[in-house]
Amino acid sequence: MERPGAGGINSSECENVSREKETSEEFEANAMDSLIDMPFATIDIKDCGITDVPHTNLERSKENERISKDQIKKRKKKQKDYQPNYFLSIPITNKEITRGIKILQNAIIQQDKQLAKAMTSDGSFHITLLVMQLLSEDEVNIGIGALLELKPFIEEILQGKQLILPFQGIDTFGNQVGFVKLAEGDHVNSLLEIAEAAKRTFQEKGILAGENRSFKPHLTFMKLSKAPWLRKKGVKKIDPKFYEKFISHRFGEEMVHRIDLCSMLKKKQSNGYYHCESSVVIGDKNGGEPDDAELVRLSKRLVENAVLKAVQQYLEETQNKSKPGDGSSVKTQEADRNGTDSDNNRK
């Protein structure tokens, strides 16, 4: 048998070489498929060696860091500029509660007449459910729509039950704001759920709503910030002795019948309550306006805004047409000249 020479290749060796070549091509094909699935698949693989990957990742990391910093700056600016001017209010109308608060206020004023200006005015007793910022009529309309969308969520939370809020005792926020406390019970959880649903509903509409601190329902009866000049006269806090006789007093129960979208800045109503943009009725409809009336009010507002915009647009277009050099103005002048010439010919 002839032994192959040093430079010769037998048939079995040819098969091995062919098999190795196929295996190599298959490996390269699989590697290419894997690269296509990688995050940097958009990069031209022919022009990109393995050594370029860390550099690309580093650039992307720096870019992501820059974007993240920009987003943080924008978020901080939004928070800095955030000044609530509207709020969701649960009006307190039970005469037993309001009468008890008036007795409490008068008792405090008798001990220090200066505090009269720090008292919450008649007719404006309420619980704040949510605060927000609405900077235009369009945003107010969006807020009204969000309030109407909130109602089914409230109904789902209450499941046909009335929401009754019992008030008992007195407390303060840092001895600066005096309020009647909401007694403990299942109603607190329901109120917290409604507040959370409201915050979510309004934020989903793009409205800046809510506060950083946790929601604590309370019924304010006085706050020193209403009379800032008191600090110059040495009144820097609400003395606990002023309300010690009411520390455990039962003020009564409020059956929640509606939730209002109110303005903090617009002129109050004649009864002392805040300017109300819209309302939704909760539970018994006898306690407030029918829902249909709210829908009519919203529709009327939208129509009025649409008409106002149309009039403004018409006035702007009219003013633009009347400007010198405008084509329509030239045509009008030519028409006037032609009319004058015709009149002269008739004469």
Side-chain angles (χ1 to χ4, degrees):
M1 178 180 294
E2 184 179 358
R3 193 174 70 176
I9 300 176
N10 59 25
S11 60
S12 63
E13 287 176 336
C14 287
E15 289 176 2
N16 290 337
V17 170
S18 177
R19 194 176 297 111
E20 287 175 1
K21 184 177 180 182
E22 290 175 0
T23 303
S24 176
E25 290 174 353
E26 184 180 355
F27 174 79
E28 289 178 4
N30 290 337
M32 291 296 288
D33 289 340
S34 298
L35 286 172
I36 290 172
D37 291 334
M38 294 295 285
F40 47 85
T42 53
I43 300 173
D44 191 348
I45 295 172
K46 293 179 182 178
D47 298 332
C48 180
I50 298 299
T51 55
D52 290 337
V53 174
H55 179 69
T56 303
N57 287 341
L58 181 61
E59 287 182 349
R60 289 190 173 184
S61 178
K62 288 181 179 179
E63 178 66 12
N64 290 339
E65 185 178 353
R66 184 187 66 77
I67 293 172
S68 178
K69 286 181 178 179
D70 288 345
Q71 289 175 341
I72 291 171
K73 285 181 181 179
K74 288 179 181 178
R75 194 178 301 117
K76 284 183 177 180
K77 187 177 186 303
K78 264 189 174 182
Q79 291 172 349
K80 186 179 179 181
D81 295 340
Y82 174 52
Q83 293 291 337
N85 58 343
Y86 278 82
F87 65 102
L88 291 186
S89 167
I90 297 177
I92 304 301
T93 58
N94 184 337
K95 291 183 179 179
E96 180 187 359
I97 297 175
T98 57
R99 185 166 54 247
I101 293 176
K102 289 304 298 177
I103 293 172
L104 164 65
Q105 290 176 327
N106 289 332
I108 293 174
I109 293 170
Q110 285 178 5
Q111 297 173 77
D112 189 344
K113 290 181 172 55
Q114 297 179 105
L115 295 176
K117 295 292 184 181
M119 297 300 168
T120 303
S121 58
D122 292 357
S124 60
F125 298 124
H126 70 281
I127 288 181
T128 298
L129 198 61
L130 181 73
V131 297
M132 69 200 71
Q133 185 183 64
L134 303 174
L135 299 178
S136 66
E137 283 299 311
D138 287 340
E139 289 187 2
V140 171
N141 290 332
I142 293 172
I144 293 172
L147 178 59
L148 295 176
E149 287 185 18
L150 177 63
K151 181 172 180 177
F153 293 109
I154 297 174
E155 291 175 342
E156 184 179 349
I157 292 169
L158 297 180
Q159 296 182 347
K161 298 178 182 177
Q162 288 286 353
L163 180 56
I164 299 175
L165 306 177
F167 293 94
Q168 180 179 1
I170 304 295
D171 201 353
T172 68
F173 290 127
N175 292 318
Q176 298 295 308
V177 178
F179 61 88
V180 178
K181 295 194 296 184
L182 185 62
E184 295 295 326
D186 293 339
H187 53 273
V188 176
N189 293 330
S190 297
L191 199 58
L192 292 175
E193 286 185 49
I194 292 172
E196 187 60 34
K199 184 177 181 180
R200 183 175 62 252
T201 302
F202 276 77
Q203 287 182 346
E204 285 176 354
K205 294 285 187 181
I207 294 173
L208 288 174
E211 294 179 294
N212 293 328
R213 61 176 181 266
S214 59
F215 173 64
K216 184 176 180 178
H218 58 281
L219 174 50
T220 301
F221 67 85
M222 70 175 294
K223 50 185 175 181
L224 297 182
S225 61
K226 286 175 64 68
W229 49 267
L230 286 171
R231 178 171 289 274
K232 294 180 181 179
K233 294 196 173 185
V235 182
K236 298 181 180 180
K237 65 177 184 178
I238 303 171
D239 194 329
K241 71 179 183 181
F242 290 162
Y243 55 81
E244 60 183 357
K245 292 181 180 179
F246 297 84
I247 203 68
S248 299
H249 180 75
R250 291 179 180 271
F251 286 85
E253 297 179 343
E254 179 73 30
M255 182 181 293
V256 178
H257 61 268
R258 77 174 197 264
I259 295 176
D260 302 324
L261 175 62
C262 297
S263 170
M264 297 179 185
L265 305 177
K266 292 183 179 180
K267 185 179 179 180
K268 289 185 177 181
Q269 300 178 36
S270 58
N271 61 0
Y273 190 61
Y274 296 88
H275 175 87
C276 180
E277 300 287 355
S278 185
S279 305
V280 290
V281 176
I282 307 299
D284 185 8
K285 289 190 176 183
N286 292 331
E289 296 179 341
D291 289 339
D292 291 343
E294 285 306 316
L295 292 173
V296 170
R297 183 187 296 181
L298 175 59
S299 299
K300 184 178 178 182
R301 173 188 284 271
L302 292 173
V303 170
E304 288 174 349
N305 287 343
V307 170
L308 180 61
K309 287 182 179 179
V311 170
Q312 289 174 340
Q313 184 177 357
Y314 172 78
L315 291 174
E316 289 174 1
E317 291 176 353
T318 303
Q319 289 173 354
N320 290 335
K321 286 180 180 179
S322 63
K323 288 180 180 178
D326 186 86
S328 59
S329 178
V330 172
K331 289 180 182 178
T332 303
Q333 292 173 2
E334 289 177 354
D336 291 341
R337 252 196 325 270
N338 292 335
T340 304
D341 292 342
S342 299
D343 290 340
N344 290 334
N345 291 335
R346 288 194 192 97
K347 290 179 181 177

